[in-house]
Each structure stands twice: as structure tokens, then as C-alpha cells.
């Protein structure tokens, strides 16, 4: 897409001058004094919280904790706190026009400049065949610069800090901006321009993910501020566009993100960052808002939004993710999609939320200087969504929402969940996907499927003869069909050969105020089947009937029913599901053919 465009358009002639910083410097008092009063109060309160907190140490032992214990947070918590505190100080300077936080800002910049690497410990190696393993490289190598998500983001942060308060830095410590420029260049921009072996570039691996647009957006922003040569910037932009093409090419035409809605900030949202900068750098000449695939990518969250802050959350996706509302608002405005823009307005949140987790400075500034609007998200009928490439179905009737998927078990951030589903009633979850947990060394390693939230045994699926689904693209749904009122598919191929499954047809229909789930399973030899249902509320079991929260499920009385409480001890998962989830298992005796129907309706109906 981008490469094809550049084959017929001279980017160097379109970028006649370096794009100006889109945000006002501290000295533009009129702009900063016009910031919304609530936003100002929010950011000044954020600064007050961190004002007396010293910049934390970053030690070798903290960095090595990832390979020694598997913990990412030991290093990441102080790493991100440094950046949050720096940005809080910069915001105080800009909002108040004073130097109260100047010394703290200089200290924060210097701490970051003195870090041996801006790459976090979990990303310290470039993962592709033949490279060194993490355990063999427990500390960063300053002679072998790698660019990951957060080194690129740090470059963007420092570039914008220099653009906003550079005048004050020059007055207090003239060397600091030159040092910032040197480090941004040597750690990020030069490696980006001179190396082709970073996996996320798409040259050596095609299985790309959100890393590509996220890194590219930050590099483009850093270079647009840091460099002063339009020709050089055009060369970097052209290189970035070729890489961005590799990522867009692997996405389905329906725009579905198999990483889940929670990754929109880093995937579709970062694509939006790139598109916005390309448009600005070329004075409006290079635009792609009309391209259907781009439109589908950018409005994906609109298709997965449920009620009350809940979203469809297959894969490593939080059930209640923080989405950057301002980016969604901008996407809606660029696409002429009023519903998407209104959704973004609803989700704008507070400015400090943009830096409370992963400190994304450009998103904070965009949130401050992109005015909200009076748009309201009008409810447009009942949901009826079908993404044929992602094989995602969202269907609503009478206040019940079915979310079901086909796909395969080799998706990015995959859970073994082919054929799984969720059910929401009156805007609240009843049958759920447990979602994501705090990342550790196990999350993206061989031990990934020892984590309960990734296993099919903890999704709304059958276990066949004790066998769960297996990971890998080969383990996939077949004969997937959108039904007028649900989804039908065959999930036999998601199970190992040892399970002896010759057919496993699943049909989910939501009509007449109830969900009918019908499974027809054919086996090579007689085996037990155990159906699993992950419930939000403690179930009450009574011979052929289970009541849980707002739902009641009926089934064959011959099935043996048991419930297991799963206390949610992981902090990330607990933000969505505090307390406990409940794993209901319904076991059928061994036979060669199983044909079961589960009917789920309102408990009061």
C-alpha cells in the first residue's frame, strides 16, 4: 500500500521542509494558559503525587531479574516511574510557566541519558533464529544497540521534552540538549537507518505484531523533531513506510486485530499516529483515510465495544481495557465516522491516564490540544458484527450479547480458544474469558501454555478425553459459518490427534431470549467429554440446571456437574474481575458420539 504509493510519488519532493512540532512550547503562554481547567488540575495533581518521590535507581540486579526469576516488573516499575516523573515535571513547567520543576526535569533527563540501555529487560535480545538467548545475555550490550518498543518511545519522549522546554534547559544546562540529541541518534535513529536485522522490521520475519507500528510511530515523531534536514527525514520516512507495509499486509481485510482490542492503542492507534504524521509532513498530500482496509483497522474497537466499558476480550486482551479515546476521536474525524468519533469522546479519560501506565507523551499532548466535541454516541440498534477474516461474531438480542470466535491457535498473543464464546446480559459479563495477566518471562516463552488463562481448559470449550486444544496455526476452526443469529463451526482440528476427534461441530444461536449451544462430537473410540464454562458469579447447581448471576443454564441431567472457585490473585486480571471467577465443569460418560445442547437464559425469565 505505502510502497505502491511511493513507487509513483516522490516523497522527497513532497517533504519540502521539516514538519513543525504540533504542540506549543512552554514559552507560548497563551496556548498553555488556554488548557482546559479540569485537565490542568488533573496534571498538576499528578505532579504533586510524584514531586517528593526521588528518581529510582535502576540496577544490574533489577535488569537481571527477568532471566533469574521471570519478573518483568522488578525493572519495569522503576524504569517507567522515571519517565512518568519526568513528564509530570515537564507538564508542571508548561502549565505554570515557572521553573519550580526545572531541576527535577533536568535530573530525570540525566537519569535516562545515563541508562546503559533504553530497552527493557524483557526485550534485551532480538528474537529470531540464530540469535543469542535471553539467559545468555542478562545485561544490555552498549556496543550492540537494539531498538524495542520502549527505547523508541523514550526517544520520542526526549525529543518532545526538548521541543517544549528546550529554552529553559539551554539556560540552565546548555550541554543537556546536545547530549539528548546524541543519545537519540546513537541509540535509536542510527540503528534504525543502518540495520535490517530487527525482527519487527519485516525483513527477516513475517509474523509481525503491534511492535512495528508502535516503534515506527515513535521513531517518526522523534526524527521529525530531532532532525533538521528534510532529505534525511524523507529517507527515514520512506524506509518506515516499507516496514509499515509489511505489517499492514499481514492484517486481514476486515481490519480485525487478533491481539485483541486492548492492543488497539499500540496497533491501530499507532498506525493512526503514522498516518497523521505522514499527512502533516507532506502538507496533506499523502493521505490514506479513504482506503477500506485502513478504515477497517481504525474502526475495529467500534465493532468490539460492548457496554459499561467492557469489550470483546479474546487473546491477551483485558476485558475492560484502557483505550486512548482521543485517538479514536481523531480516527472518527479523519474517516468521517461519527459513531467512532463519539466513542472516542466518551473514552477520552483524563490526561494523566496517558502516562499512568506506559508513559506515551505524544498521546498526552494530543489529548490536551485536540479539543473534545459535543458528540454523543447514539445507540444504533442491536449489535450484529461479523469479521470473516478474524472469524469473530458479536450478536445481540433482547439485552443478551454473544461474542464467539473461530480462528486458529497461532494468532498473535494467542490463547487456545478456537470456538470459545462469551455471554453478556444487560451490559455485564456472565460467561467470560478470563483475559490477560501481568506479563512475566513465561508469557512469551515455552511455558506460556502453563498459564491458566491461555489454556483451553479455562475457556468455554469441551475437553475431549482429558485433552485440551494445542497451540499453533494448524490447530484451527473449519467450516466456519455466520448464522443469522449466531455462529457455526467445526473445532475438531483444534485438538491433538491423540484425542481421536473425527468431528466436533459447535453451533451457537441467540434467539427467543436464550442462547442455545449445541455440540456434536464424533470420536474414534469412546471417551469422556468435559464441558467447561467460565462464570463471573458463583454457580448454584441443581440437577440439570445451574444458576449463576443473571443467567440460568439447563442441560442433560446425566452430566456430572462441579464448580471450582478461581481466586483472582493477579493484579492485572483483578482490575477487570476482582474477587473470583468460577469454573463450571459438566462431564459426560465415555461414548463414541456426544450430542449435547446447553440452553442459557435469564435467571428471572
Amino acid at each position: 500500500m505505502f510502497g505502491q504509493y511511493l513507487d509513483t510519488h516522490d516523497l522527497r519532493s513532497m517533504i519540502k521542509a521539516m514538519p513543525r512540532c504540533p504542540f506549543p512550547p512552554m514559552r507560548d503562554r497563551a496556548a498553555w494558559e488556554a488548557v482546559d481547567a479540569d485537565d490542568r488540575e488533573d496534571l498538576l495533581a499528578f505532579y504533586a503525587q510524584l514531586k517528593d518521590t526521588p528518581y529510582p535507581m535502576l540496577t544490574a540486579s533489577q535488569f537481571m531479574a527477568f532471566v533469574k526469576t521471570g519478573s518483568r516488573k522488578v525493572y519495569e516499575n522503576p524504569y517507567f516511574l522515571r519517565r512518568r516523573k519526568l513528564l509530570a515535571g515537564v507538564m508542571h513547567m508548561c502549565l505554570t510557566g515557572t521553573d519550580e520543576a526545572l531541576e527535577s526535569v533536568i535530573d530525570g533527563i540525566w537519569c535516562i541519558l545515563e541508562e546503559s540501555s533504553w530497552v527493557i529487560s524483557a526485550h534485551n535480545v532480538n528474537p529470531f533464529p540464530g540469535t543469542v538467548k535471553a539467559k545468555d545475555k542478562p545485561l544490555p550490550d552498549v556496543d550492540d544497540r537494539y531498538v524495542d518498543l520502549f527505547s523508541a518511545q523514550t526517544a520520542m519522549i526526549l525529543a518532545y521534552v526538548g521541543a517544549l522546554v528546550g529554552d529553559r534547559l539551554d539556560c540552565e544546562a546548555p550541554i543537556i540538549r546536545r547530549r539528548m540529541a546524541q543519545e537519540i541518534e546513537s541509540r535509536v535513529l542510527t540503528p534504525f537507518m543502518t540495520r535490517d536485522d530487527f525482527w519487527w522490521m519485516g525483513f527477516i520475519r513475517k509474523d509481525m505484531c503491534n511492535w512495528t507500528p508502535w516503534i515506527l510511530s515513535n521513531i517518526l515523531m522523534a526524527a521529525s523533531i530531532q532532525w533538521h534536514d528534510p532529505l534525511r527525514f524523507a529517507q527515514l520516512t520512506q524506509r518506515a513506510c516499507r516496514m509499515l507495509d509489511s505489517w499492514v499486509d499481514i492484517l486481514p481485510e476486515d481490519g480485525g486485530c487478533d491481539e485483541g482490542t486492548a492492543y488497539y492503542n499500540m496497533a491501530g492507534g499507532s498506525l493512526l499516529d503514522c498516518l497523521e504524521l505522514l499527512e502533516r509532513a507532506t502538507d496533506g498530500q499523502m493521505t490514506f483515510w479513504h482506503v477500506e482496509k485502513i478504515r477497517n483497522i481504525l474502526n475495529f474497537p467500534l465493532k468490539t465495544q460492548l457496554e459499561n466499558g467492557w469489550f470483546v476480550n479474546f487473546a491477551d486482551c483485558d476485558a475492560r481495557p484502557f483505550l486512548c479515546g482521543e485517538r479514536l476521536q481523531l480516527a472518527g474525524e479523519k474517516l468521517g465516522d461519527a459513531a467512532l468519533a463519539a466513542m472516542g469522546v466518551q473514552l477520552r479519560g483524563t490526561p494523566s491516564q496517558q502516562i499512568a501506565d506506559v508513559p506515551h507523551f505524544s498521546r498526552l499532548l494530543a489529548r490536551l490540544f485536540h479539543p473534545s466535541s459535543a458528540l454523543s454516541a447514539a445507540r444504533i440498534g442491536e449489535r450484529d458484527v461479523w469479521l470473516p477474516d478474524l472469524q469473530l461474531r458479536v450478536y445481540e438480542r433482547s439485552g443478551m450479547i454473544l461474542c464467539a470466535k473461530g480462528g486458529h491457535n497461532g494468532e498473535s498473543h494467542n490463547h487456545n480458544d478456537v470456538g470459545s464464546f462469551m455471554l453478556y446480559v444487560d451490559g455485564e459479563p456472565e460467561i467470560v474469558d478470563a483475559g490477560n495477566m501481568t506479563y512475566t518471562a513465561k508469557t512469551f516463552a515455552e511455558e506460556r501454555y502453563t498459564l491458566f488463562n491461555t489454556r483451553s481448559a479455562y475457556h468455554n470449550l469441551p475437553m475431549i478425553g482429558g485433552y485440551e486444544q494445542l497451540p499453533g496455526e494448524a490447530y484451527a476452526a473449519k467450516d466456519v459459518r455466520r448464522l443469522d443469529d449466531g455462529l457455526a463451526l467445526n473445532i475438531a482440528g483444534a485438538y491433538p490427534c491423540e484425542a481421536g476427534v473425527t468431528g466436533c461441530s459447535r453451533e451457537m444461536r441467540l434467539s427467543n431470549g436464550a442462547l442455545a449451544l449445541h455440540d456434536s462430537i464424533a470420536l474414534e473410540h469412546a471417551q469422556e467429554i468435559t464441558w467447561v464454562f467460565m462464570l463471573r458469579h458463583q454457580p448454584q447447581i441443581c440437577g440439570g440446571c445451574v444458576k449463576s448471576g443473571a443467567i440460568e443454564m439447563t442441560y442433560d441431567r446425566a452430566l456430572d456437574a462441579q464448580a471450582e472457585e478461581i481466586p483472582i490473585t493477579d493484579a492485572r486480571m483483578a482490575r477487570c474481575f476482582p474477587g473470583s471467577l468460577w469454573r463450571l465443569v459438566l462431564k459426560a460418560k465415555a461414548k463414541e458420539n456426544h450430542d449435547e445442547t446447553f440452553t442459557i437464559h435469564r435467571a428471572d425469565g
Side-chain angles (χ1 to χ4, degrees):
M1 180 186 301
F2 303 105
Q4 188 176 29
Y5 178 90
L6 294 175
D7 287 341
T8 57
H9 295 77
D10 182 8
L11 185 60
R12 286 175 289 184
S13 67
M14 287 190 285
I15 301 179
K16 297 182 173 64
M18 291 299 297
R20 297 175 59 187
C21 177
F23 308 112
M26 173 186 172
R27 64 177 178 273
D28 186 347
R29 297 313 310 148
W32 284 99
E33 288 168 8
V35 168
D36 177 82
D38 290 339
D39 292 347
R40 175 186 300 273
E41 182 179 350
D42 170 67
L43 286 171
L44 292 180
F46 190 78
Y47 168 76
Q49 292 174 9
L50 295 178
K51 177 181 177 182
D52 297 324
T53 300
Y55 285 99
M57 288 283 290
L58 286 178
T59 65
S61 59
Q62 289 171 326
F63 198 97
M64 291 190 292
F66 177 73
V67 296
K68 287 188 173 183
T69 69
S71 171
R72 296 171 57 130
K73 293 297 182 182
V74 170
Y75 187 77
E76 289 178 22
N77 284 347
Y79 173 97
F80 289 127
L81 179 55
R82 281 185 168 190
R83 286 147 177 82
R84 282 194 291 273
K85 180 175 171 63
L86 167 63
L87 297 185
V90 172
M91 286 295 92
H92 185 277
M93 290 180 65
C94 291
L95 289 167
T96 65
T98 71
D99 286 348
E100 176 186 324
L102 177 58
E103 186 174 293
S104 174
V105 166
I106 291 174
D107 284 343
I109 294 171
W110 202 254
C111 282
I112 292 170
L113 295 177
E114 289 293 296
E115 291 170 5
S116 292
S117 175
W118 294 341
V119 175
I120 62 170
S121 56
H123 300 164
N124 191 40
V125 298
N126 180 26
F128 72 94
T131 58
V132 66
K133 301 295 184 183
K135 65 181 178 61
D136 299 320
K137 189 180 179 184
L139 288 170
D141 182 354
V142 296
D143 294 323
D144 183 21
R145 293 295 190 192
Y146 182 43
V147 178
D148 79 328
L149 301 172
F150 301 111
S151 59
Q153 190 176 73
T154 299
M156 176 272 293
I157 287 172
L158 292 180
Y160 276 128
V161 167
L164 266 57
V165 299
D167 292 349
R168 300 303 306 139
L169 297 177
D170 289 342
C171 291
E172 190 74 13
I175 195 175
I176 198 164
R177 270 221 281 181
R178 177 161 58 87
R179 175 77 189 283
M180 289 164 66
Q182 290 170 339
E183 298 296 340
I184 292 171
E185 186 72 40
S186 65
R187 294 172 187 250
V188 176
L189 299 182
T190 294
F192 175 75
M193 293 300 293
T194 59
R195 297 193 48 178
D196 293 336
D197 61 332
F198 298 153
W199 71 272
W200 50 264
M201 291 177 164
F203 298 135
I204 55 176
R205 275 176 52 174
K206 299 305 178 185
D207 53 332
M208 304 167 77
C209 65
N210 64 82
W211 276 53
T212 302
W214 189 352
I215 291 173
L216 293 177
S217 65
N218 284 295
I219 286 177
L220 282 166
M221 285 186 275
S224 71
I225 300 300
Q226 195 65 38
W227 286 354
H228 305 288
D229 181 355
L231 174 59
R232 191 181 183 205
F233 181 67
Q235 292 170 337
L236 178 142
T237 302
Q238 186 149 341
R239 181 172 168 82
C241 283
R242 302 287 183 181
M243 297 176 193
L244 197 60
D245 247 348
S246 297
W247 176 71
V248 171
D249 284 348
I250 69 166
L251 296 184
E253 290 299 319
D254 63 21
C257 178
D258 62 4
E259 298 171 295
T261 313
Y263 277 86
Y264 180 85
N265 290 339
M266 304 80 170
S270 292
L271 171 63
L272 175 65
D273 292 340
C274 294
L275 295 174
E276 183 187 23
L277 197 149
L278 290 174
E279 183 178 49
R280 182 162 51 85
T282 61
D283 197 23
Q285 297 178 76
M286 192 172 180
T287 62
F288 297 89
W289 310 117
H290 62 286
V291 178
E292 187 65 23
K293 187 172 185 178
I294 294 294
R295 299 177 68 87
N296 289 338
I297 294 169
L298 294 181
N299 69 21
F300 174 66
L302 192 61
K303 299 166 185 172
T304 60
Q305 184 186 33
L306 301 176
E307 300 283 351
N308 304 326
W310 300 102
F311 283 78
V312 179
N313 71 308
F314 294 113
D316 275 348
C317 181
D318 301 310
R320 298 187 98 159
F322 168 72
L323 293 182
C324 183
E326 182 279 329
R327 293 288 86 183
L328 290 166
Q329 178 190 341
L330 179 67
E333 292 167 353
K334 291 292 188 182
L335 301 182
D337 187 331
L340 181 60
M343 175 186 174
V345 170
Q346 283 190 327
L347 297 176
R348 278 175 66 96
T350 63
S352 62
Q353 286 179 305
Q354 306 300 329
I355 53 175
D357 181 23
V358 176
H360 209 305
F361 196 22
S362 69
R363 302 277 174 88
L364 165 61
L365 294 169
R367 168 65 180 73
L368 287 179
F369 293 102
H370 178 195
S372 183
S373 66
L375 294 172
S376 60
R379 182 67 187 276
I380 306 175
E382 295 179 307
R383 291 168 179 81
D384 191 346
V385 174
W386 171 235
L387 298 179
D389 299 314
L390 194 60
Q391 297 181 351
L392 175 66
R393 184 79 167 107
V394 183
Y395 183 75
E396 177 183 4
R397 281 299 176 269
S398 304
M400 302 179 76
I401 307 175
L402 167 68
C403 313
K405 76 178 293 288
H408 58 81
N409 284 333
E411 296 164 344
S412 183
H413 289 264
N414 177 70
H415 290 191
N416 290 337
D417 60 356
V418 171
S420 189
F421 73 99
M422 292 168 265
L423 183 68
Y424 280 68
V425 178
D426 296 332
E428 293 299 322
E430 296 294 342
I431 300 178
V432 306
D433 186 305
N436 208 356
M437 293 199 297
T438 302
Y439 289 159
T440 68
K442 289 183 178 181
T443 306
F444 302 109
E446 294 177 355
E447 301 93 338
R448 177 174 176 82
Y449 296 99
T450 64
L451 303 171
F452 90 86
N453 65 314
T454 66
R455 294 170 53 190
S456 70
Y458 290 84
H459 285 80
N460 303 305
L461 291 164
M463 295 176 61
I464 300 176
Y467 289 99
E468 302 179 35
Q469 293 185 4
L470 291 183
E473 191 170 349
Y475 299 94
K478 295 182 179 179
D479 304 322
V480 181
R481 293 181 294 119
R482 172 194 178 276
L483 304 175
D484 288 343
D485 55 0
L487 185 69
L489 68 171
N490 189 326
I491 60 174
Y495 293 85
C497 294
E498 294 81 358
V501 187
T502 58
C504 186
S505 297
R506 165 163 281 204
E507 186 176 278
M508 294 166 273
R509 291 182 177 272
L510 180 58
S511 59
N512 300 320
L515 171 64
L517 169 67
H518 178 242
D519 282 351
S520 181
I521 304 173
L523 305 171
E524 293 176 353
H525 54 275
Q527 294 199 78
E528 293 181 340
I529 303 292
T530 300
W531 280 272
V532 176
F533 296 90
M534 298 294 293
L535 305 176
R536 181 66 187 104
H537 303 286
Q538 183 175 2
Q540 298 175 345
I541 302 171
C542 183
C545 176
V546 170
K547 292 185 177 180
S548 174
I551 61 171
E552 180 176 314
M553 178 165 63
T554 57
Y555 53 89
D556 187 340
R557 296 175 64 91
L559 298 180
D560 177 57
Q562 296 182 14
E564 169 194 3
E565 182 177 10
I566 304 177
I568 303 303
T569 58
D570 178 79
R572 180 169 186 169
M573 188 179 289
R575 292 202 297 265
C576 300
F577 299 120
S580 295
L581 294 176
W582 295 83
R583 182 174 181 259
L584 173 69
V585 295
L586 303 173
K587 182 177 292 187
K589 293 180 180 179
K591 53 184 179 179
E592 288 187 8
N593 294 286
H594 296 259
D595 199 80
E596 299 289 345
T597 297
F598 306 88
T599 303
I600 304 159
H601 54 82
R602 293 176 184 273
D604 57 355

